[in-house]
Amino acid sequence: MNNFNSRMNEREDFRQESESLRLRFFSFKGRLSKDDYIVRFAILIGIYILLILIFFSLLAFTVHLGNHSEWEALILMINGWILFAVLYFARLISELSLLARRFRDIGQDGWLCALTFLPGIGLFVPFVMCFISGDIGPNRYGPDPRIKKQTNGN
């Protein structure tokens, strides 16, 4: 019976952790403090670099190291592109989620995260958001995330 209970507890812990991860990186609700944004944005940059390394490693494996027929190489490349596209799309949604909550923290509409799609300035928007301080106290988008963090920590 103890083995069953420990497995149930492990599943519940995993469910809570995955829910927490989803809320941290994929939720579009509420506000996000500058410090939390910087940490999560750095994680996303690391994931993006890892994606690029995996993709080019797969490309090198397929083209140079593989002893495959043309069809096998094509299938490997298509699978690599599909994997890259799915992971890239998840990273993009996560980045937009972080930006929308960050814009709300400074009192602006979350839809301003669409600025990242503009040529030229779109690359700089996520980095600029690392330096702008949020509104102190609650604003129309919710309570100050820094105050909530301080009360939860004590």
Side-chain angles (χ1 to χ4, degrees):
M1 191 67 157
N2 283 338
N3 193 17
F4 177 75
N5 287 336
S6 66
R7 286 187 183 171
M8 291 301 289
N9 289 338
E10 288 174 8
R11 287 182 184 163
E12 183 62 25
D13 291 344
F14 178 75
R15 188 192 66 73
Q16 288 176 352
E17 190 61 34
S18 63
E19 180 71 17
S20 176
L21 184 66
R22 184 188 66 78
L23 290 175
R24 279 189 227 138
F25 284 96
F26 294 101
S27 175
F28 282 85
K29 295 179 182 177
R31 295 168 57 181
L32 184 65
S33 70
K34 180 173 66 170
D35 294 338
D36 288 340
Y37 173 78
I38 290 170
V39 169
R40 294 174 192 176
F41 184 63
I43 291 170
L44 287 181
I45 288 174
I47 290 171
Y48 188 61
I49 290 170
L50 186 64
L51 280 175
I52 290 172
L53 290 174
I54 289 171
F55 177 74
F56 282 112
S57 297
L58 181 65
L59 179 66
F61 176 75
T62 304
V63 173
H64 298 293
L65 302 177
N67 195 8
H68 305 287
S69 70
E70 290 178 10
W71 285 107
E72 289 173 333
L74 180 64
I75 289 172
L76 278 173
M77 285 303 297
I78 290 172
N79 287 337
W81 275 103
I82 291 171
L83 176 65
F84 181 80
V86 167
L87 294 175
Y88 182 83
F89 185 70
R91 187 209 59 88
L92 179 67
I93 296 297
S94 180
E95 182 179 330
L96 292 175
S97 156
L98 296 177
L99 275 172
R101 291 185 285 157
R102 188 72 191 108
F103 272 113
R104 289 186 191 120
D105 190 45
I106 64 172
Q108 301 299 316
D109 192 6
W111 282 101
L112 286 173
C113 68
L115 290 173
T116 59
F117 295 111
L118 293 177
I121 67 165
L123 291 173
F124 299 106
V125 172
F127 293 103
V128 169
M129 296 306 290
C130 293
F131 300 103
I132 300 174
S133 295
D135 291 348
I136 297 173
N139 66 14
R140 64 184 178 152
Y141 298 106
D144 190 340
R146 294 168 295 192
I147 293 173
K148 185 187 287 186
K149 185 190 284 187
Q150 290 171 355
T151 58
N152 287 341
N154 291 331

